[in-house]
Each structure stands twice: as C-alpha cells, then as structure tokens.
Amino acid sequence: MWRRTPSFILDRTSTSPPMAADTTRAPIQNPDSISAYYQTRAAHHGVITSEWLSQAQAAVGGVSDSGDEHPVSSLTELGNEKSFNVIEEFNSWRKQPDLAEAVAAIRALAAVIRASEATTMMELEIELTKASDTLKSWDTTSISLTAGCDLFIRYVTRTSALEYEDFNSAKSRLLERAEKFGEISCKARRIIAMLSQDFIFDGCTILVHGLSRVVLEILKTAAQNNKLFRVLCTEGRPDGTGVLLSSELSKLDIPVKLLLDSAVAYSMDEVDMVFVGADGVVESGGIINMMGTYQIALVAHSMNKPVYVAAESYKFARLYPLDQKDMAPALRPIEFGLKIPTKVEVERSARDYTPPQYLTLLFTDLGVLSPSVVSDELIQLYL
Amino acid sequence: MPDVQSMVAEFVNKLRKRKIEGSQATAKCTVELLRSVISHQRVPHANQAAALIDAVKAVGQQLVAANPVELAVGNVVRRVLHIIREEDLSLTTAAMAGLDLLDASDDDDIDNCKGIGYPAMSAAVVAAAARSTLRPPSLQTLLEGTPESATVPYTSSSGADSESKTADKSSLTRKLKHDVIEGVNQLIHEISGCHEQIAEQAIEHIHQNEVILTLGSSRTVLEFLCAAKEKKRSFRVFVAEGAPRYQGHLLAKELVARGLQTTVITDSAVFAMISRVNMVIIGAHAVMANGGVIGPVGVNMAALAAKKHAVPFVVLAGSHKLCPLYPHNPEVLLNELRSPSELLDFGEFSDCLDFGAGSGSLQVVNPTFDYVPPNLVSLFITDTGGHNPSYMYRLIADYYSADDLVM
C-alpha cells in the first residue's frame, strides 16, 4: 500500500503470477529468488557469505528443477537436451571472471550452432531463437545477456540475407564470427581505454564506483602512459568492490583512497570526474549499473562534475525504464553483520537506473558518444 | 611538385603568422591548396587512393601544426580525405558492378576493369563490406569484423595479362583524381555559399517585433539579420561591443547602414539587458563533436545569462566549422592569448609590468575564445538546416571518416 510508483511491472508480478499460463515457457523468476547475474558477479569478486552460500545452493537446486521442467513441458522436438545444454554451456562460460557476459551468451549460442543438425538457414535461425529465448528467460535480470543474444540473432538473420549459396559455408562463417566475438570484446575494451586517455589529465582526481573491467582497463592504460592521477573508490557494499579495486590499483602504484558510499557527496568537491561502467545501456541513453550509481551521478551533476560511462557497444539494450522500479527486479542477499528481526524488510535490489541527463559522455568501442546517440544506434540495428 | 612545396610552405607561414582572418577564408585557402596538391600528385597504378590520402595527410599535418587553434583547417583536411575515400569506394563498387555484368556475359577484352580478377565472392558481399568500412563503426557491423574483402578493392590484380589492363589502370587513375577534384570543387562551392544557405533560414526564426542580442561581429550573423530584414521583418538588435577589439561597433555600423534599429551595449550589460531580449544569436568559431561551441570571448557569459532567463541561444555555423574532435580542456588547449596591448596601454602601466625591477607583478590575460558547453545551446543553424546540439555527432559522422580523426 505504500507504493506510489507508476511502473506497472510490480503490479504485474504481485497481482497475477498465474498469468504465466503457458507452461512451455520457463518459469518466471519470482521476486524472492536471487538474480543469477549478480550471483555470478559476486562469485567473480570472491564475496562469499554464509547466507549467500546457502541461498546459492538452494538456487542451484532450483535451477536443476527448472531444467528438468523444461524437457517435460517442451513440446518441440528440439531437444530437451538442447535447451538444457545451452544453459549449462552458458553457465560454464560465465564462470570465467575475465569474460564478458555477452561473450558467454554468444559462445553458448555458437555451441547450439555447432550441435545443430539444421540444413537450411531458416531452421538454424529458428533453433537459435529458441535457444536464445531459453537463455533469456532463465535469467531475466541480466541485460548484457539479453542484448548479446539479440545482437547475435540479428547478425544471423542479416547474414543469411547476403548471398551465400552454400549453407555449410554460411554456418562455418557464423561459427567463426561467434568465436571471434571474444576477441571483439577484448578489442572493445582496448579501444575504450584508448579513447578515454585524453579525458584524464595530469593531476586529476577520479571517482570510481563499482568494479568494471573496462574502467580498470582505462585506469591501467592511463597509468602505463605515465599520467599522474589519483582515484577515490567507493566501498561498494555489499559487493565490496572498493577493496578489490583499490588492491588492483595499488599494484599499479596509483594513489587510491577508499570512501564509504555515504561519503561521496562529502568528497565530491575534490573530484574532477566520475568513471563508472555499465551493466546495460538503455534506449534513452541512461545506464543500469550497480546500486549507488544513480546517487553518485545526482551528486556529481549538482556539483557540475562530468560523469563518464565506459561500456562496450553490445551492452546497448532495447529497454526504456521510466523509473527505478520499471525493470525486472534483480535481488541479491545483503549481509548486515547482525541479526535482522524478521519483521524488518531489506531493500535488496542490486542495481539502479541512471537517467541520461546526469551522464556526460559514454565511451564505447563505437567512439565517444553522447547519451542521445544510443537510441540512434539501436534504431539502426533493430529497425 | 617543387612549386606545390613552395605553395605549402608559403601557406604554412601565413597560418603561423595569423595573416588569414576568419575561418571561411582559411578554409577556402586550405581547400584550394589541397586541390593543387592532389592534382600535382603523381599516383602509382596500384593503391591510388592510399597515395592521395598519404599526400593530403602529410600536408594537412603541417597545416594543422602551424595553427592548431584554427580548427577549420583540420576540418577541411578531413573533409578532403573523406571525399577521397568515398570516391574510391564508389569507383570500386562501380567496377565490381561492371565485373558482375561481365561474368554474366562472355569475358571479352571489353575496356572495363576486367583485369581486376576478384575471387569468387559475390559483388554484393564485397560492396557491403566496403561500405561498412567507410561508415563509422556501428552495432550493425560489430560482428562483421574487419572484412578482408575490403582490401581486395585496394590491391590491384596480381596476374597482369594484357595491355588493355594498363589502359584500364590509367583510366581508373584519371577517373579517381578527376572525381576527387570534382568533389573538392563542390566543397569549395559549399564553403563559399554557406552564408547564403544559413541566411535563407532567417525568416523562420526571427519574428515580427523581436529583440535580438548578438556579441562581437560575425559575417554570418550580419547576413542572417539582413536576410530577415529584407523579408520585411521589423526587429531590433542589441549588439554587445565585444571588448577588447570592439568589433561590435563595426557590426552596429553595418546594421544601421542596412536599416536595422541597433543598440550598442557593453559586455558587462548583457546580464542586465537579457530579460528584455527574445533571442540571442551568435556566430561560432568552431563547433565541437559534443555540441560545444568555441566562440569569441564573452559568449559563455551571454549563454549563461540566456539560460538563466530562458532565452533561446542560437548558434550559426557553416559546415566547415564542424570539428569531429571532443574538447578536453578547451579553455586552455583551444584558446589563444593575444597581445595585452589591446587591453592596457604600455606607457601607463610600464612600472607594474616590469618584472626585471622586481616590483612588477601585474599580469594581463587576453584570451581570444570562449567555450560554451552544449547544454547552454538551444539550436544550431548550419547550411543544412537547424539542429539540436545532441544531433551534431550525426552531421560529423556524415562529413568525416573515423580513420581521419587522428592525423
């Protein structure tokens, strides 16, 4: 009764879960389960709490259950085997800490292509679409997963339009591009690092929130180019990203200072620019990122400090959140160190949405973009 | 060749000594110089486009180094490079279209690029790939990677067979140069005609009984206002004088000569008068890729005043002023400090300015330009029409190639 948000997704999930009548689809994540995407990120960061552990085990048990449900309810002959394999494949790729989420998705889809017995492009496309839908519905909270799948499917449908008379050569080309995507992802990080070098000047102070591998690459390159700068890291509860980032940066001899998340406004006047990564870039040009990014962007904007976002282009997603709650909820367990009475609710969302007016520039492998360019790129791709 | 070198050296000298005033004049001279460079450049049979590009880049680097603050020089050099790439691309796609026809028919020694023996790859694929290398990278081309087929148009055929091939090559060479020079001529025409194009749009923006504020003197603004006057709009103009050069006085004289009611105010009075103004119109020195504007000193003040009072701030800029670079620290890096004698009389202040005597500690700073961030600008009017500041990246993607950004 306290909720006054106009967003309808909450109403949908709270009032009509039985609306998911067709059992052929994978079960919708109910609001109380843990977001698999953030689970994986936490695993990368090595953050393990006892609560997380128990919930992770429960979640894994839940996944295999849902995995078993799949083949029972699936009506197509496309393999129960196939859909289960896709998710397994995806998870195995996702576990690697250095691999981007979208790369894992595309590798999984490449595995589908390899295992496919289709003889025409249409059939292959249909199989891929099914596999990608499975992946997407398994973890609705991961934006780069959705975006990566969509990008690959679009690429497949467009490749088939080019004149490849031979199906096998087309298939092998698709496989090759999918394999190459991992390299594209690494190259993208390097391009972004190169583009952002000019924006870091000697003697500047950079505020960083969250542990983005792209931002880390940017700072590493700047240090290698012998630029003098110092970094303020927010603590990044509950992931503890601040401590991890500061240990990485101190290895590179960059002066680092740790801040409490609440100390950002206090320190904002000595900051010259804010660098954040993004879990996803939405159509409006805003970003979805770790909880706390919106807060920092608001403070930076009010003090006229530029906020720079470093994101690869495959994170552009066809979402348009109208407010903070207008996304699929992504929850993660939060440790407070003390026992919380059961009547007390905890805000467990793992991410927030930063609207485009608080962002200055986006550094992507497509170049330095202002937030309004994002929708243009997406339109070119999807329309 | 030697006389081209001397032309280049002479122009570099002029740029370094700031002898050429105004970005339009600079842009025109630069393009004309590049045209002579291109026409005098002897190109090899293979890879003509690359040779032209290298030649133009080499000259361009010299020119930009001579006057890094005059961004129009770099802009037109990049435009010329883009023209070369485009013409080369259209020639090769035309050639491949010709090849397609040839493959369909019998392969005779028709005098049409038969000798370029491409492997059995469909023409459409290669064309699409080559097209994608010319456009800036986008999500669509992300997975396509760098198509090796794009290099195929560049490398000439290996197996040389007959004399008809050499005849092909020379005709191709001449065609490319000819097309490039045509493109460059069109660019010159565009640069010369930018004032008229912009002035044509004046009637849509200036309405009856309006009060316009402008700062300093810009020929574009002058033509703009006079065009509206000719279409029988009656309006008033406030001109901020634009210290220390006081070019606003010249503009005011011109406006009065053309029959417009003009008021001259000091720069410091801008904030006081802004509430009585309907629109601020400014000519830009350069427009950066994020939509920020480099203008004569004082425009940032006018922009802030306009923002505070919700007055539309309109910037006029010809397309040769659009720069594909992002401004990092523009107040320092893209600015030029002029002689302090424009501000202070040496005679009166000689004891303060004398550092040798130990008592002097007076410094005089006389910057030429000001940077206006994009959020303060309401509208850009270029020769292609009116645009939002957040749209500038689009025009830049049309006019320039991504490879030329760093010369």
Side-chain angles (χ1 to χ4, degrees), chain A residues 158 163 177 198 368 376, chain B residues 122 143-144 326 328 393-394:
Chain A
R158 278 182 38 249
E163 295 110 42
R177 294 316 315 167
D198 282 325
V368 180
D376 209 29
Chain B
S122 106
L143 275 162
E144 278 161 30
Y326 269 88
H328 338 276
Y393 76 91
R394 171 54 107 194

Side-chain angles (χ1 to χ4, degrees), chain B residues 74-379:
Chain B
N75 295 347
V76 297
V77 171
R78 293 184 181 99
R79 291 287 296 266
V80 170
L81 289 171
H82 186 71
I83 290 174
I84 300 177
R85 286 182 211 271
E86 264 191 348
E87 295 297 339
D88 184 48
L89 178 64
S90 65
L91 270 182
T92 45
T93 46
M96 280 184 294
L99 180 65
D100 232 5
L101 293 169
L102 273 171
D103 280 353
S105 68
D106 238 341
D107 44 343
D108 294 337
D109 45 346
I110 307 173
D111 182 26
N112 201 351
C113 328
K114 164 208 184 305
I116 312 171
Y118 291 111
M121 204 180 302
S122 106
V125 173
V126 187
R131 249 202 315 276
S132 69
T133 57
L134 198 67
R135 266 184 301 153
S138 75
L139 273 177
Q140 287 179 292
T141 57
L142 192 65
L143 275 162
E144 278 161 30
T146 47
E148 322 74 30
S149 50
T151 59
V152 178
Y154 284 153
T155 61
S156 62
S157 76
S158 33
D161 13 51
S162 59
E163 318 79 42
S164 68
K165 205 182 75 63
T166 45
D168 284 345
K169 279 296 170 233
S170 55
S171 70
L172 255 190
T173 312
R174 273 178 286 150
K175 191 92 178 50
L176 176 67
K177 255 203 191 176
H178 177 254
D179 286 345
V180 168
I181 300 220
E182 245 185 50
V184 171
N185 282 334
Q186 218 177 7
L187 177 61
I188 297 183
H189 187 72
E190 213 182 277
I191 296 178
S192 326
C194 71
H195 293 308
E196 287 82 48
Q197 298 272 28
I198 293 179
E200 265 170 22
Q201 303 168 52
I203 198 74
E204 298 161 9
H205 298 281
I206 300 184
H207 307 290
Q208 198 75 349
N209 289 332
E210 281 206 331
V211 181
I212 314 270
L213 172 70
T214 183
L215 196 140
S217 164
S218 159
R219 195 178 138 203
T220 326
V221 173
L222 176 63
E223 302 276 336
F224 194 77
L225 296 175
C226 296
K229 174 79 172 68
E230 252 139 66
K231 303 269 172 64
K232 310 285 187 251
R233 292 268 200 256
S234 82
F235 55 96
R236 298 178 50 198
V237 184
F238 280 20
V239 180
E241 59 186 4
R245 298 177 88 189
Y246 299 113
Q247 292 188 322
H249 298 176
L250 299 170
L251 179 67
K253 260 200 203 161
E254 293 270 327
L255 289 173
V256 168
R258 314 257 194 134
L260 277 169
Q261 206 184 356
T262 318
T263 312
V264 174
I265 57 173
T266 56
D267 296 343
S268 23
V270 164
F271 235 110
M273 306 300 264
I274 194 85
S275 48
R276 320 192 65 218
V277 161
N278 292 113
M279 180 158 53
V280 181
I281 302 186
I282 295 281
H285 168 77
V287 178
M288 311 304 291
N290 64 340
V293 180
I294 312 264
V297 63
V299 292
N300 197 11
M301 186 178 55
L304 287 165
K307 183 80 175 188
K308 184 116 174 78
H309 290 262
V311 172
F313 188 80
V314 176
V315 176
L316 310 180
S319 56
H320 59 276
K321 292 183 178 169
L322 295 182
C323 182
L325 304 172
Y326 269 88
H328 338 276
N329 210 2
E331 296 85 0
V332 172
L333 296 176
L334 291 175
N335 216 336
E336 209 172 343
L337 297 177
R338 275 206 292 256
S339 161
S341 61
E342 290 176 5
L343 289 181
L344 294 182
D345 218 0
F346 274 134
E348 284 182 33
F349 288 88
S350 53
D351 43 352
C352 302
L353 292 169
D354 182 14
F355 292 104
S359 63
S361 57
L362 179 65
Q363 291 202 338
V364 181
V365 179
N366 186 8
T368 321
F369 298 120
D370 225 348
Y371 173 69
V372 180
N375 55 316
L376 298 178
V377 180
S378 315
L379 183 70

Side-chain angles (χ1 to χ4, degrees), chain A residues 282-287 320 353-362 371-372:
Chain A
V282 295
E283 234 176 289
S284 58
I287 57 167
Y320 206 114
Y353 161 64
T354 307
Q357 61 262 33
Y358 302 115
L359 305 174
T360 317
L361 287 175
L362 285 116
S372 46

Side-chain angles (χ1 to χ4, degrees), chain A residues 8 282-285 317-323 326-327 353 356 375:
Chain A
F8 42 82
V282 295
E283 234 176 289
S284 58
R318 286 206 82 185
L319 291 172
Y320 206 114
L322 299 173
D323 59 15
D326 198 9
M327 308 177 271
Y353 161 64
S375 57

